[in-house]
Amino acid sequence: VHYWLHCAHLLVDGQKMAKSLGNFYTVPDVLAKGYTGRELRYALLRVHYRVPLNFTWEGMKEARESLGRIDEWLARLREIAKEENSERSTPINREQEPNAQRSIQPDFENALDDDLNISAALGFLFESIRETNRAMDENKLNAPSANAWLNWWNRINTVLDLEPETEMTVPAEVAQLAKERENARREKNWKRSDELRDQISALGWEVRDTKEGQKLAAHGPS
């Protein structure tokens, strides 16, 4: 560590954290609630160091959702990056690609250079995610542009370090339940689909229904 910063006070649900108030939490307490260290780290990371950090369980839920958005965005970009332009059914007009080259602009770095304004930096990240997701929805983002965004992400992730180091293997039991859920949804058996989602969640995995199909993400036992 080369620099130490004196951060603003930590609050819990708007109050000072204290054992006497019953709002004193440790890292093991958070993990025992089913959250991962990655999710806790994001929840602590996203607030500017000069601003009081108000820890809430709702904030932890938001951290999980934010990381889920990033993971899904990266998965979509990587899928497009594998494709060759010649294989796409619609010719790509680079002038129609929204912000295809925005990754070369230093918005993220400029925000951090402004007194480590992480809130603004993350704001730019999620603005970029919204715009590129819209472009992908409209089939206006080609493989070179997807690679450009992935290269940009690799650069800013050297600062954020938000991506899991290794890809988690889906247990066979979870994979089987997910397959059964896909079949249930195909048959429009929504009650069975919800029951299988609950079973998967109880095993520590979250199911996300995306335009590319069903996705699984580990989140720890509920």
Side-chain angles (χ1 to χ4, degrees):
V1 175
H2 297 286
Y3 301 98
W4 290 91
L5 302 178
H6 185 269
C7 301
H9 295 295
L10 172 65
L11 304 176
V12 176
D13 292 322
Q15 295 180 302
K16 181 180 178 182
M17 185 169 70
K19 289 184 177 180
S20 60
L21 296 176
N23 65 354
F24 186 89
Y25 301 119
T26 63
V27 172
D29 292 332
V30 178
L31 299 181
K33 285 279 190 179
Y35 291 100
T36 65
R38 179 180 177 233
E39 290 164 342
L40 175 58
R41 183 174 177 277
Y42 180 86
L44 300 176
L45 170 75
R46 63 181 179 167
V47 178
H48 192 276
Y49 76 95
R50 290 185 185 273
V51 178
L53 173 62
N54 185 30
F55 178 88
T56 65
W57 294 113
E58 182 63 28
M60 287 300 302
K61 180 181 177 182
E62 292 171 359
R64 171 175 291 171
E65 291 172 350
S66 295
L67 289 172
R69 286 181 61 196
I70 293 173
D71 293 343
E72 185 177 335
W73 174 66
L74 290 172
R76 296 187 73 187
L77 287 175
R78 285 167 179 152
E79 191 64 31
I80 292 176
K82 294 177 183 177
E83 300 175 3
E84 293 294 335
N85 291 342
S86 59
E87 295 178 355
R88 298 181 68 88
S89 57
T90 304
I92 299 297
N93 181 345
R94 292 191 64 83
E95 293 181 356
Q96 293 179 350
E97 294 178 26
N99 299 302
Q101 297 304 319
R102 188 168 177 185
S103 58
I104 65 173
Q105 297 184 12
D107 303 63
F108 184 89
E109 291 87 343
N110 287 344
L112 290 183
D113 285 344
D114 181 17
D115 194 24
L116 293 179
N117 192 343
I118 186 62
S119 301
L122 290 175
F124 172 71
L125 169 62
F126 283 102
E127 179 185 348
S128 301
I129 289 175
R130 282 193 297 273
E131 292 178 358
T132 48
N133 272 335
R134 189 181 305 119
M136 286 186 280
D137 290 341
E138 298 172 356
N139 200 33
K140 292 181 178 178
L141 198 76
N142 61 13
S145 295
N147 273 308
W149 279 107
L150 288 170
N151 289 336
W152 176 77
W153 164 256
N154 288 337
R155 188 171 78 246
I156 69 168
N157 194 49
T158 60
V159 176
L160 300 176
D161 195 22
L162 292 179
E163 203 168 358
E165 292 184 5
T166 57
E167 191 172 332
M168 298 188 70
T169 302
V170 179
E173 183 180 2
V174 174
Q176 179 60 35
L177 290 172
K179 184 176 180 180
E180 292 177 17
R181 183 173 180 272
E182 280 186 335
N183 293 334
R185 288 178 62 80
R186 193 175 299 113
E187 296 168 359
K188 297 186 178 180
N189 187 344
W190 310 121
K191 181 180 179 181
R192 178 58 176 162
S193 172
D194 290 341
E195 290 173 352
L196 289 164
R197 178 194 289 273
D198 292 340
Q199 291 180 43
I200 293 170
S201 180
L203 293 172
W205 290 77
E206 179 184 0
V207 182
R208 302 190 188 110
D209 296 310
T210 72
K211 292 185 178 181
E212 287 73 34
Q214 183 175 259
K215 305 292 184 183
L216 290 169
H219 62 63
S222 58

